[in-house]
Coordinates of all heavy atoms in Angstrom, one line a residue:
M1 N -13.6 18.1 -4.9 CA -12.5 18.8 -5.6 C -11.8 17.9 -6.5 O -11.5 16.8 -6.2 CB -11.5 19.4 -4.5 CG -10.5 20.3 -5.1 SD -9.3 20.8 -3.8 CE -10.0 22.3 -3.3
R2 N -11.5 18.4 -7.7 CA -10.8 17.6 -8.7 C -9.4 17.4 -8.3 O -8.8 18.2 -7.7 CB -10.9 18.2 -10.1 CG -12.3 18.4 -10.7 CD -12.3 19.0 -12.1 NE -11.4 20.2 -12.0 CZ -10.6 20.5 -13.1 NH1 -10.5 19.8 -14.1 NH2 -9.9 21.6 -13.0
I3 N -8.8 16.3 -8.8 CA -7.3 16.0 -8.5 C -6.4 17.1 -9.0 O -5.5 17.5 -8.4 CB -6.9 14.6 -9.0 CG1 -5.5 14.3 -8.5 CG2 -7.0 14.6 -10.6 CD1 -5.5 13.9 -7.1
E4 N -6.8 17.7 -10.2 CA -6.0 18.8 -10.7 C -6.0 20.0 -9.8 O -5.0 20.7 -9.6 CB -6.5 19.2 -12.1 CG -6.3 18.2 -13.2 CD -7.4 17.1 -13.2 OE1 -8.3 17.2 -12.4 OE2 -7.3 16.2 -14.1
D5 N -7.2 20.3 -9.2 CA -7.3 21.4 -8.3 C -6.5 21.1 -7.0 O -5.9 22.0 -6.5 CB -8.8 21.6 -7.9 CG -9.6 22.0 -9.1 OD1 -9.0 22.7 -10.0 OD2 -10.8 21.7 -9.2
K6 N -6.5 19.9 -6.6 CA -5.7 19.5 -5.4 C -4.2 19.7 -5.6 O -3.5 20.2 -4.8 CB -6.0 18.1 -4.9 CG -7.4 18.0 -4.3 CD -7.5 16.6 -3.6 CE -8.8 16.5 -2.8 NZ -8.9 15.3 -2.1
L7 N -3.8 19.2 -6.8 CA -2.4 19.3 -7.2 C -2.0 20.8 -7.2 O -0.8 21.2 -6.8 CB -2.1 18.7 -8.5 CG -2.1 17.2 -8.5 CD1 -2.0 16.6 -9.9 CD2 -1.0 16.6 -7.7
F8 N -2.9 21.6 -7.6 CA -2.6 23.1 -7.7 C -2.3 23.7 -6.3 O -1.6 24.7 -6.2 CB -3.7 23.8 -8.4 CG -3.5 25.3 -8.6 CD1 -2.6 25.7 -9.5 CD2 -4.1 26.2 -7.8 CE1 -2.4 27.1 -9.7 CE2 -3.9 27.6 -7.9 CZ -3.0 28.0 -8.9
L9 N -2.8 23.1 -5.3 CA -2.6 23.6 -3.9 C -1.2 23.2 -3.4 O -0.8 23.8 -2.4 CB -3.7 23.0 -3.0 CG -5.1 23.5 -3.3 CD1 -6.1 22.8 -2.4 CD2 -5.2 25.0 -3.2
N10 N -0.5 22.3 -4.0 CA 0.8 21.9 -3.5 C 1.8 23.0 -3.7 O 1.6 23.8 -4.6 CB 1.3 20.6 -4.2 CG 0.5 19.4 -3.8 OD1 0.0 19.3 -2.6 ND2 0.3 18.5 -4.7
R11 N 2.8 23.1 -2.9 CA 3.8 24.1 -3.1 C 5.2 23.4 -3.2 O 5.4 22.3 -2.7 CB 3.9 25.0 -1.8 CG 2.6 25.8 -1.6 CD 2.5 26.9 -2.7 NE 1.3 27.6 -2.6 CZ 0.1 27.4 -3.3 NH1 0.1 26.3 -4.1 NH2 -0.9 28.1 -3.2
Y12 N 6.0 24.0 -4.0 CA 7.3 23.4 -4.3 C 8.5 24.4 -4.0 O 8.3 25.6 -4.2 CB 7.4 23.0 -5.8 CG 6.3 22.1 -6.3 CD1 5.1 22.6 -6.7 CD2 6.6 20.8 -6.5 CE1 4.1 21.8 -7.1 CE2 5.5 19.9 -6.9 CZ 4.3 20.4 -7.3 OH 3.3 19.6 -7.7
R13 N 9.6 23.8 -3.6 CA 10.8 24.6 -3.5 C 11.8 23.8 -4.4 O 12.2 22.7 -4.0 CB 11.2 24.7 -2.1 CG 12.4 25.7 -2.0 CD 12.5 26.2 -0.6 NE 13.7 27.1 -0.5 CZ 14.8 26.8 0.1 NH1 14.9 25.7 0.9 NH2 15.8 27.6 0.1
T14 N 12.2 24.4 -5.5 CA 13.0 23.7 -6.5 C 14.5 24.0 -6.3 O 14.9 25.1 -6.2 CB 12.6 24.2 -7.9 OG1 11.2 24.0 -8.1 CG2 13.3 23.4 -9.0
D15 N 15.2 22.9 -6.3 CA 16.7 23.0 -6.3 C 17.2 23.0 -7.7 O 17.5 21.9 -8.3 CB 17.3 21.8 -5.5 CG 18.8 22.0 -5.2 OD1 19.3 23.0 -5.7 OD2 19.3 21.1 -4.5
E16 N 17.2 24.1 -8.4 CA 17.5 24.2 -9.8 C 18.9 23.6 -10.2 O 19.1 23.1 -11.3 CB 17.5 25.7 -10.3 CG 16.1 26.4 -10.1 CD 15.1 26.0 -11.2 OE1 15.5 25.2 -12.1 OE2 14.0 26.4 -11.1
E17 N 19.8 23.7 -9.3 CA 21.2 23.3 -9.6 C 21.4 21.8 -9.3 O 22.4 21.2 -9.8 CB 22.2 24.1 -8.8 CG 22.2 25.5 -9.3 CD 23.2 26.4 -8.5 OE1 23.9 25.8 -7.7 OE2 23.1 27.6 -8.7
N18 N 20.5 21.1 -8.6 CA 20.6 19.7 -8.3 C 19.3 19.0 -8.6 O 18.6 18.6 -7.7 CB 21.0 19.5 -6.9 CG 22.3 20.1 -6.5 OD1 23.3 19.6 -7.1 ND2 22.4 21.1 -5.7
P19 N 19.1 18.7 -9.9 CA 17.8 17.9 -10.3 C 17.9 16.6 -9.6 O 18.9 15.9 -9.6 CB 17.9 17.8 -11.8 CG 19.0 18.7 -12.3 CD 19.9 19.0 -11.1
H20 N 16.8 16.2 -8.9 CA 16.7 14.9 -8.2 C 16.3 13.8 -9.1 O 16.3 12.6 -8.7 CB 15.8 15.0 -7.0 CG 14.4 15.1 -7.3 ND1 13.8 16.3 -7.8 CD2 13.4 14.2 -7.2 CE1 12.5 16.1 -8.0 NE2 12.2 14.9 -7.6
L21 N 16.0 14.1 -10.4 CA 15.7 13.1 -11.4 C 16.5 13.3 -12.6 O 16.6 14.5 -13.1 CB 14.2 13.2 -11.8 CG 13.1 13.1 -10.8 CD1 11.8 13.5 -11.4 CD2 13.1 11.8 -10.2
K22 N 17.1 12.3 -13.1 CA 18.0 12.4 -14.3 C 17.8 11.1 -15.2 O 17.8 10.0 -14.6 CB 19.4 12.5 -14.0 CG 19.9 13.9 -13.5 CD 21.4 13.9 -13.3 CE 21.8 15.1 -12.4 NZ 23.1 14.9 -11.9
I23 N 17.8 11.3 -16.5 CA 17.9 10.2 -17.4 C 19.4 9.8 -17.4 O 20.2 10.6 -17.7 CB 17.4 10.6 -18.8 CG1 15.9 11.0 -18.8 CG2 17.6 9.4 -19.8 CD1 15.0 10.0 -18.4
I24 N 19.6 8.5 -17.2 CA 21.0 8.0 -17.2 C 21.6 7.9 -18.6 O 22.6 8.4 -18.9 CB 21.1 6.6 -16.5 CG1 20.6 6.8 -15.0 CG2 22.5 6.0 -16.6 CD1 20.4 5.5 -14.3
N25 N 20.8 7.3 -19.5 CA 21.3 7.1 -20.9 C 20.1 7.4 -21.9 O 19.2 6.6 -22.0 CB 21.8 5.7 -21.1 CG 22.4 5.4 -22.4 OD1 22.2 6.2 -23.4 ND2 23.1 4.4 -22.6
M26 N 20.2 8.5 -22.6 CA 19.1 8.9 -23.5 C 19.0 7.9 -24.7 O 17.9 7.8 -25.2 CB 19.4 10.3 -24.0 CG 18.2 11.0 -24.6 SD 16.8 11.2 -23.5 CE 17.5 12.6 -22.5
E27 N 20.0 7.2 -25.0 CA 20.0 6.3 -26.1 C 19.0 5.2 -25.8 O 18.3 4.6 -26.6 CB 21.3 5.7 -26.4 CG 22.3 6.7 -27.0 CD 21.8 7.4 -28.2 OE1 21.3 6.7 -29.1 OE2 21.8 8.7 -28.3
I28 N 18.9 4.8 -24.5 CA 18.0 3.8 -24.1 C 16.5 4.3 -24.2 O 15.7 3.5 -24.7 CB 18.3 3.3 -22.6 CG1 19.6 2.6 -22.6 CG2 17.2 2.4 -22.1 CD1 20.1 2.3 -21.2
C29 N 16.3 5.5 -23.9 CA 14.9 6.1 -24.0 C 14.5 6.1 -25.5 O 13.3 5.9 -25.8 CB 14.9 7.5 -23.5 SG 15.1 7.6 -21.7
K30 N 15.4 6.3 -26.4 CA 15.1 6.3 -27.8 C 14.5 5.0 -28.3 O 13.7 4.9 -29.1 CB 16.3 6.7 -28.7 CG 16.7 8.1 -28.6 CD 17.9 8.5 -29.4 CE 18.3 9.9 -29.2 NZ 19.6 10.2 -29.9
K31 N 15.0 3.9 -27.7 CA 14.6 2.6 -28.1 C 13.5 2.0 -27.2 O 13.0 0.9 -27.4 CB 15.8 1.6 -28.0 CG 16.9 2.0 -29.0 CD 18.1 1.1 -28.8 CE 19.3 1.7 -29.6 NZ 20.6 1.2 -29.0
C32 N 13.2 2.7 -26.1 CA 12.2 2.2 -25.1 C 10.8 2.1 -25.8 O 10.3 3.1 -26.2 CB 12.2 3.1 -23.9 SG 11.1 2.6 -22.6
K33 N 10.2 0.9 -25.7 CA 8.9 0.7 -26.2 C 7.8 1.4 -25.3 O 7.9 1.1 -24.1 CB 8.6 -0.7 -26.4 CG 7.4 -1.1 -27.3 CD 7.3 -2.6 -27.4 CE 6.0 -2.9 -28.1 NZ 5.5 -4.2 -27.9
N34 N 7.0 2.2 -25.8 CA 5.8 2.8 -25.1 C 6.3 3.9 -24.1 O 5.4 4.6 -23.6 CB 5.0 1.8 -24.4 CG 4.4 0.8 -25.3 OD1 4.0 1.1 -26.4 ND2 4.2 -0.4 -24.9
R35 N 7.5 3.9 -23.7 CA 8.0 4.9 -22.8 C 7.0 5.1 -21.6 O 6.4 6.1 -21.4 CB 8.2 6.3 -23.4 CG 9.2 6.1 -24.6 CD 9.7 7.4 -25.2 NE 10.6 7.2 -26.2 CZ 10.3 7.1 -27.5 NH1 9.1 7.4 -28.0 NH2 11.2 6.8 -28.4
P36 N 6.9 4.1 -20.7 CA 5.9 4.0 -19.7 C 6.0 5.2 -18.7 O 5.1 5.5 -18.0 CB 6.1 2.7 -19.0 CG 7.5 2.2 -19.4 CD 7.7 2.8 -20.7
C37 N 7.2 5.8 -18.5 CA 7.4 6.8 -17.6 C 6.4 8.0 -17.9 O 5.9 8.6 -17.0 CB 8.8 7.3 -17.6 SG 9.4 7.9 -19.2
I38 N 6.2 8.2 -19.2 CA 5.3 9.3 -19.6 C 3.9 9.1 -19.1 O 3.3 10.0 -18.4 CB 5.3 9.5 -21.1 CG1 6.7 9.9 -21.6 CG2 4.3 10.6 -21.5 CD1 6.9 9.9 -23.1
N39 N 3.3 8.0 -19.3 CA 1.9 7.8 -19.0 C 1.7 7.5 -17.5 O 0.6 7.7 -16.9 CB 1.3 6.6 -19.8 CG 1.1 7.0 -21.2 OD1 0.8 8.2 -21.5 ND2 1.3 6.1 -22.1
C40 N 2.8 7.0 -16.8 CA 2.6 6.6 -15.4 C 2.8 7.8 -14.4 O 2.4 7.7 -13.3 CB 3.5 5.5 -15.1 SG 3.0 3.9 -15.9
C41 N 3.5 8.8 -14.9 CA 3.8 9.9 -14.0 C 2.5 10.8 -13.8 O 2.0 11.3 -14.7 CB 4.9 10.8 -14.5 SG 5.2 12.2 -13.5
P42 N 2.0 10.9 -12.5 CA 0.8 11.6 -12.3 C 1.0 13.1 -12.5 O 0.0 13.9 -12.6 CB 0.4 11.3 -10.9 CG 1.7 10.9 -10.2 CD 2.5 10.3 -11.3
A43 N 2.2 13.6 -12.5 CA 2.5 15.0 -12.6 C 3.0 15.4 -14.0 O 3.3 16.6 -14.2 CB 3.5 15.4 -11.6
G44 N 3.0 14.5 -15.0 CA 3.4 14.9 -16.3 C 4.8 15.4 -16.4 O 5.1 16.3 -17.2
V45 N 5.7 14.8 -15.6 CA 7.1 15.3 -15.6 C 7.9 14.9 -16.8 O 8.7 15.7 -17.3 CB 7.8 14.7 -14.3 CG1 9.3 14.9 -14.4 CG2 7.3 15.4 -13.1
Y46 N 7.5 13.8 -17.4 CA 8.3 13.3 -18.6 C 7.6 13.7 -19.9 O 6.4 13.4 -20.1 CB 8.5 11.8 -18.5 CG 9.3 11.4 -17.3 CD1 8.6 11.1 -16.1 CD2 10.7 11.4 -17.4 CE1 9.4 10.7 -15.0 CE2 11.4 11.0 -16.2 CZ 10.8 10.7 -15.1 OH 11.5 10.4 -14.0
E47 N 8.4 14.2 -20.8 CA 7.8 14.6 -22.1 C 8.8 14.3 -23.2 O 10.0 14.7 -23.2 CB 7.6 16.1 -22.1 CG 6.3 16.5 -22.9 CD 6.0 18.0 -22.7 OE1 5.3 18.3 -21.7 OE2 6.4 18.8 -23.5
W48 N 8.4 13.5 -24.2 CA 9.3 13.1 -25.3 C 9.1 14.1 -26.4 O 8.0 14.3 -26.9 CB 8.9 11.7 -25.7 CG 9.7 11.2 -26.8 CD1 9.4 11.0 -28.1 CD2 11.1 10.8 -26.7 NE1 10.5 10.5 -28.8 CE2 11.5 10.3 -28.0 CE3 12.0 10.7 -25.6 CZ2 12.8 9.9 -28.2 CZ3 13.3 10.2 -25.9 CH2 13.7 9.8 -27.2
D49 N 10.2 14.7 -26.9 CA 10.1 15.7 -27.9 C 10.4 15.1 -29.3 O 10.6 15.9 -30.3 CB 11.0 16.9 -27.6 CG 12.4 16.6 -27.7 OD1 12.8 15.5 -28.1 OD2 13.2 17.5 -27.4
G50 N 10.5 13.8 -29.4 CA 10.9 13.2 -30.7 C 12.3 12.8 -30.8 O 12.7 12.0 -31.6
E51 N 13.2 13.5 -30.0 CA 14.6 13.3 -30.0 C 15.1 12.9 -28.6 O 16.0 12.1 -28.4 CB 15.3 14.6 -30.4 CG 15.0 15.0 -31.8 CD 15.8 14.3 -32.8 OE1 17.0 13.9 -32.5 OE2 15.3 13.9 -33.9
S52 N 14.5 13.5 -27.6 CA 15.0 13.2 -26.2 C 13.9 13.4 -25.2 O 12.8 13.9 -25.5 CB 16.2 14.2 -25.9 OG 15.7 15.5 -25.9
M53 N 14.2 13.0 -24.0 CA 13.2 13.1 -23.0 C 13.4 14.3 -22.1 O 14.5 14.5 -21.5 CB 13.3 11.8 -22.1 CG 12.3 11.7 -21.0 SD 10.6 11.4 -21.7 CE 10.8 9.7 -22.2
E54 N 12.4 15.2 -22.1 CA 12.5 16.3 -21.2 C 12.0 15.9 -19.8 O 11.0 15.2 -19.7 CB 11.7 17.5 -21.7 CG 11.9 18.8 -21.0 CD 11.0 19.9 -21.5 OE1 10.4 19.7 -22.5 OE2 10.9 20.9 -20.8
V55 N 12.7 16.3 -18.8 CA 12.4 15.9 -17.4 C 12.1 17.2 -16.6 O 13.0 17.9 -16.2 CB 13.5 15.1 -16.7 CG1 13.0 14.6 -15.3 CG2 13.9 13.9 -17.6
K56 N 10.8 17.5 -16.4 CA 10.4 18.7 -15.7 C 10.3 18.4 -14.2 O 9.2 18.3 -13.7 CB 9.1 19.2 -16.3 CG 9.3 19.7 -17.8 CD 8.0 20.1 -18.3 CE 7.1 18.9 -18.7 NZ 5.9 19.2 -19.4
F57 N 11.5 18.1 -13.6 CA 11.6 17.6 -12.3 C 10.9 18.6 -11.2 O 10.6 18.1 -10.1 CB 13.0 17.3 -11.9 CG 13.9 18.6 -11.7 CD1 14.1 19.1 -10.5 CD2 14.5 19.2 -12.8 CE1 14.8 20.3 -10.4 CE2 15.2 20.3 -12.7 CZ 15.4 20.9 -11.5
E58 N 10.8 19.8 -11.6 CA 10.2 20.8 -10.7 C 8.8 20.4 -10.2 O 8.4 20.8 -9.1 CB 10.1 22.2 -11.3 CG 11.4 22.7 -11.9 CD 11.7 22.3 -13.3 OE1 11.0 21.3 -13.8 OE2 12.6 22.8 -14.0
G59 N 8.1 19.7 -11.0 CA 6.7 19.3 -10.6 C 6.5 18.0 -10.0 O 5.4 17.5 -9.8
C60 N 7.7 17.3 -9.7 CA 7.6 15.9 -9.2 C 6.9 15.9 -7.9 O 7.2 16.7 -7.0 CB 9.1 15.4 -9.1 SG 9.2 13.8 -8.4
L61 N 6.1 14.8 -7.7 CA 5.4 14.6 -6.5 C 6.1 13.6 -5.6 O 5.6 13.3 -4.5 CB 4.0 14.0 -6.8 CG 3.1 14.9 -7.7 CD1 1.8 14.1 -8.1 CD2 2.7 16.2 -7.0
E62 N 7.2 13.1 -6.0 CA 8.1 12.2 -5.2 C 7.4 10.9 -4.9 O 7.5 10.4 -3.8 CB 8.6 12.9 -4.0 CG 9.5 14.1 -4.3 CD 9.8 15.0 -3.1 OE1 9.8 14.5 -2.0 OE2 10.0 16.2 -3.3
C63 N 6.5 10.4 -5.8 CA 5.8 9.2 -5.6 C 6.7 7.9 -5.9 O 6.4 6.9 -5.4 CB 4.5 9.1 -6.4 SG 4.8 9.0 -8.2
G64 N 7.7 8.1 -6.7 CA 8.6 7.0 -7.0 C 8.1 6.0 -8.2 O 8.8 5.1 -8.5
T65 N 6.9 6.3 -8.7 CA 6.4 5.4 -9.8 C 7.3 5.3 -11.0 O 7.5 4.2 -11.5 CB 5.0 6.0 -10.3 OG1 4.2 6.2 -9.1 CG2 4.3 5.0 -11.2
C66 N 7.9 6.4 -11.4 CA 8.7 6.3 -12.7 C 9.9 5.3 -12.4 O 10.3 4.6 -13.3 CB 9.2 7.7 -13.1 SG 10.0 8.6 -11.8
R67 N 10.4 5.4 -11.3 CA 11.6 4.5 -10.9 C 11.2 3.0 -11.0 O 11.9 2.2 -11.5 CB 12.1 4.8 -9.5 CG 13.3 4.0 -9.1 CD 13.9 4.6 -7.9 NE 13.0 4.7 -6.8 CZ 13.4 4.9 -5.5 NH1 14.6 5.2 -5.3 NH2 12.5 5.0 -4.6
I68 N 10.0 2.7 -10.7 CA 9.5 1.4 -10.7 C 9.1 0.9 -12.1 O 9.4 -0.2 -12.5 CB 8.3 1.2 -9.7 CG1 8.7 1.4 -8.3 CG2 7.6 -0.2 -9.9 CD1 7.6 1.5 -7.3
V69 N 8.5 1.8 -12.9 CA 8.0 1.4 -14.2 C 9.0 1.4 -15.3 O 8.8 0.7 -16.3 CB 6.7 2.2 -14.7 CG1 5.6 2.1 -13.7 CG2 7.1 3.6 -14.9
C70 N 10.1 2.1 -15.1 CA 11.1 2.1 -16.2 C 11.7 0.7 -16.3 O 12.3 0.2 -15.4 CB 12.2 3.1 -15.8 SG 13.6 3.1 -17.1
P71 N 11.6 0.1 -17.5 CA 12.0 -1.3 -17.6 C 13.5 -1.4 -17.7 O 14.1 -2.5 -17.6 CB 11.4 -1.7 -19.0 CG 11.1 -0.4 -19.7 CD 10.9 0.6 -18.7
Y72 N 14.2 -0.3 -17.8 CA 15.7 -0.3 -17.9 C 16.4 0.3 -16.7 O 17.6 0.5 -16.8 CB 16.1 0.3 -19.2 CG 15.5 -0.3 -20.4 CD1 14.4 0.3 -21.0 CD2 16.0 -1.5 -20.9 CE1 13.8 -0.2 -22.1 CE2 15.4 -2.1 -22.0 CZ 14.3 -1.4 -22.6 OH 13.7 -2.0 -23.7
Q73 N 15.7 0.6 -15.7 CA 16.3 1.3 -14.5 C 17.1 2.5 -15.0 O 18.3 2.7 -14.6 CB 17.2 0.4 -13.7 CG 16.4 -0.6 -12.8 CD 16.0 -1.8 -13.6 OE1 16.8 -2.4 -14.3 NE2 14.7 -2.2 -13.6
N74 N 16.6 3.2 -15.9 CA 17.3 4.3 -16.6 C 17.1 5.7 -16.0 O 17.4 6.7 -16.6 CB 16.9 4.3 -18.1 CG 17.8 5.1 -19.0 OD1 19.0 5.2 -18.6 ND2 17.3 5.7 -20.0
I75 N 16.5 5.7 -14.8 CA 16.2 7.0 -14.2 C 17.0 7.1 -12.9 O 16.9 6.2 -12.0 CB 14.7 7.2 -13.9 CG1 13.9 7.2 -15.2 CG2 14.5 8.5 -13.1 CD1 12.4 7.1 -14.9
E76 N 17.9 8.1 -12.8 CA 18.6 8.3 -11.5 C 17.6 9.1 -10.6 O 17.3 10.2 -10.9 CB 19.9 9.1 -11.8 CG 20.8 9.2 -10.6 CD 22.0 10.1 -10.9 OE1 22.7 9.8 -11.9 OE2 22.1 11.1 -10.1
W77 N 17.2 8.4 -9.6 CA 16.2 9.0 -8.7 C 16.6 9.1 -7.3 O 17.1 8.2 -6.7 CB 15.0 8.0 -8.8 CG 13.6 8.6 -8.3 CD1 12.6 8.8 -9.2 CD2 13.2 8.8 -7.0 NE1 11.5 9.3 -8.4 CE2 11.8 9.3 -7.1 CE3 13.8 8.7 -5.7 CZ2 11.1 9.6 -6.0 CZ3 13.0 9.1 -4.6 CH2 11.7 9.5 -4.8
K78 N 16.5 10.3 -6.7 CA 16.8 10.5 -5.3 C 15.8 11.5 -4.8 O 15.3 12.3 -5.5 CB 18.2 10.9 -5.1 CG 18.6 12.1 -5.8 CD 20.1 12.4 -5.8 CE 20.4 13.7 -6.6 NZ 21.7 13.8 -7.0
Y79 N 15.7 11.6 -3.5 CA 14.8 12.6 -2.9 C 15.6 13.9 -3.0 O 16.8 13.9 -2.9 CB 14.5 12.3 -1.4 CG 13.4 11.3 -1.3 CD1 13.7 10.0 -0.8 CD2 12.1 11.6 -1.6 CE1 12.7 9.1 -0.6 CE2 11.1 10.7 -1.4 CZ 11.4 9.4 -1.0 OH 10.4 8.5 -0.8
P80 N 14.9 15.0 -3.2 CA 15.5 16.4 -3.1 C 16.2 16.6 -1.8 O 15.8 16.0 -0.8 CB 14.4 17.3 -3.3 CG 13.2 16.5 -3.9 CD 13.4 15.2 -3.4
K81 N 17.2 17.4 -1.8 CA 17.9 17.7 -0.5 C 16.9 18.4 0.4 O 15.9 18.8 0.0 CB 19.1 18.7 -0.8 CG 20.3 18.0 -1.4 CD 21.5 18.8 -1.3 CE 21.4 20.1 -2.0 NZ 22.6 20.9 -2.0
G82 N 17.3 18.3 1.7 CA 16.4 18.9 2.7 C 15.9 20.3 2.4 O 16.7 21.1 1.8
N83 N 14.7 20.6 2.7 CA 14.0 21.9 2.4 C 13.6 22.1 1.0 O 13.0 23.1 0.7 CB 14.8 23.0 2.9 CG 14.9 23.1 4.4 OD1 14.0 22.6 5.1 ND2 16.0 23.6 5.0
Y84 N 14.0 21.1 0.1 CA 13.6 21.3 -1.3 C 12.6 20.2 -1.6 O 12.4 19.2 -0.9 CB 14.8 21.1 -2.2 CG 15.8 22.3 -2.2 CD1 17.0 22.2 -1.5 CD2 15.5 23.4 -2.9 CE1 17.8 23.2 -1.5 CE2 16.3 24.5 -2.9 CZ 17.5 24.4 -2.2 OH 18.4 25.5 -2.1
G85 N 11.9 20.4 -2.8 CA 10.9 19.5 -3.3 C 9.5 19.9 -2.9 O 9.2 21.1 -2.7
I86 N 8.6 18.9 -2.9 CA 7.2 19.3 -2.7 C 6.9 19.5 -1.3 O 7.4 18.8 -0.4 CB 6.3 18.2 -3.4 CG1 4.8 18.6 -3.4 CG2 6.5 16.8 -2.7 CD1 4.0 17.8 -4.3
L87 N 5.9 20.4 -1.0 CA 5.4 20.6 0.3 C 3.9 20.2 0.3 O 3.1 20.9 -0.4 CB 5.6 22.1 0.7 CG 5.1 22.5 2.1 CD1 5.9 21.8 3.2 CD2 5.1 24.0 2.2
Y88 N 3.5 19.2 0.9 CA 2.1 18.7 0.9 C 1.2 19.3 1.8 O 0.0 18.9 1.9 CB 2.1 17.2 1.1 CG 2.5 16.3 -0.1 CD1 3.7 15.6 -0.1 CD2 1.7 16.2 -1.2 CE1 4.1 14.9 -1.2 CE2 2.0 15.5 -2.3 CZ 3.2 14.8 -2.3 OH 3.5 14.1 -3.4
K89 N 1.6 20.3 2.5 CA 0.8 21.0 3.5 C -0.6 21.3 3.1 O -1.5 21.2 3.8 CB 1.6 22.2 4.0 CG 0.9 22.9 5.2 CD 1.8 24.0 5.7 CE 1.1 24.8 6.8 NZ 1.9 26.0 7.1
F90 N -0.7 21.8 1.8 CA -1.9 22.3 1.3 C -2.7 21.3 0.5 O -3.8 21.6 0.1 CB -1.7 23.6 0.5 CG -1.0 24.7 1.3 CD1 0.4 24.9 1.1 CD2 -1.7 25.4 2.2 CE1 1.0 25.8 1.8 CE2 -1.0 26.4 2.9 CZ 0.4 26.6 2.7
G91 N -2.1 20.2 0.1 CA -2.7 19.3 -0.9 C -3.5 18.2 -0.3 O -3.6 18.0 0.9
Ligands
SF4_1 S1 10.6 4.2 -19.2 FE1 12.8 4.6 -18.8 S2 13.9 4.0 -20.6 FE2 11.8 4.2 -21.1 S3 11.6 6.3 -21.9 FE3 11.2 6.3 -19.7 S4 13.1 6.8 -18.7 FE4 13.6 6.1 -20.8
SF4_2 S1 8.4 10.3 -8.7 FE1 6.3 10.2 -9.4 S2 5.7 12.4 -9.8 FE2 8.0 12.3 -9.7 S3 8.6 12.0 -11.8 FE3 8.4 10.0 -10.9 S4 6.3 9.3 -11.4 FE4 6.4 11.5 -11.7

């Protein structure tokens, strides 16, 4: 089974009012060389639109990679509150 198919089997419960990922300072992202968060995220959560970083936190796999690769510690990262986030039961 392809990894994309496996990811499709995961289930999410999104806490729309409390994103568990946030960019701390968008000005830093504008100057960030290569923006490694985009290429390192296995779920494609980060998307640069030319002006700002869109963070589609709903699809986050909670792997923590973006927090490690960001050279400026510019991502506020926490686990979703209880009962929210990814459910790996099917993946
Ligand atoms: S790696 Fe960090 S500073 Fe660079 S674009 Fe991503 S969030 Fe912004
Ligand atoms: S924790 Fe992992 S899946 Fe979630 S946004 Fe960061 S790199 Fe992507």
Side-chain angles (χ1 to χ4, degrees):
M1 184 184 270
R2 296 180 314 141
I3 187 73
E4 291 83 1
D5 296 330
K6 286 191 173 183
L7 286 172
F8 182 73
L9 294 175
N10 291 325
R11 295 291 175 264
Y12 302 83
R13 186 157 179 251
T14 305
D15 188 357
E16 298 283 358
E17 293 178 8
N18 294 298
H20 69 288
L21 303 171
K22 282 185 202 161
I23 299 295
I24 296 169
N25 184 344
M26 197 61 75
E27 294 306 310
I28 293 176
C29 293
K30 286 180 183 172
K31 296 174 192 158
C32 180
K33 195 179 172 197
N34 298 330
R35 301 189 181 98
C37 58
I38 296 173
N39 288 327
C40 292
C41 174
V45 166
Y46 297 92
E47 214 171 278
W48 183 251
D49 70 3
E51 297 280 321
S52 63
M53 187 67 77
E54 190 183 347
V55 183
K56 295 177 281 186
F57 69 95
E58 304 87 346
C60 177
L61 303 171
E62 297 168 29
C63 68
T65 306
C66 55
R67 182 168 55 171
I68 293 168
V69 300
C70 177
Y72 302 102
Q73 288 84 48
N74 195 29
I75 300 169
E76 188 185 305
W77 198 107
K78 58 189 178 202
Y79 281 110
K81 285 197 298 186
N83 292 329
Y84 288 103
I86 189 164
L87 179 68
Y88 278 110
K89 187 175 174 186
F90 304 101

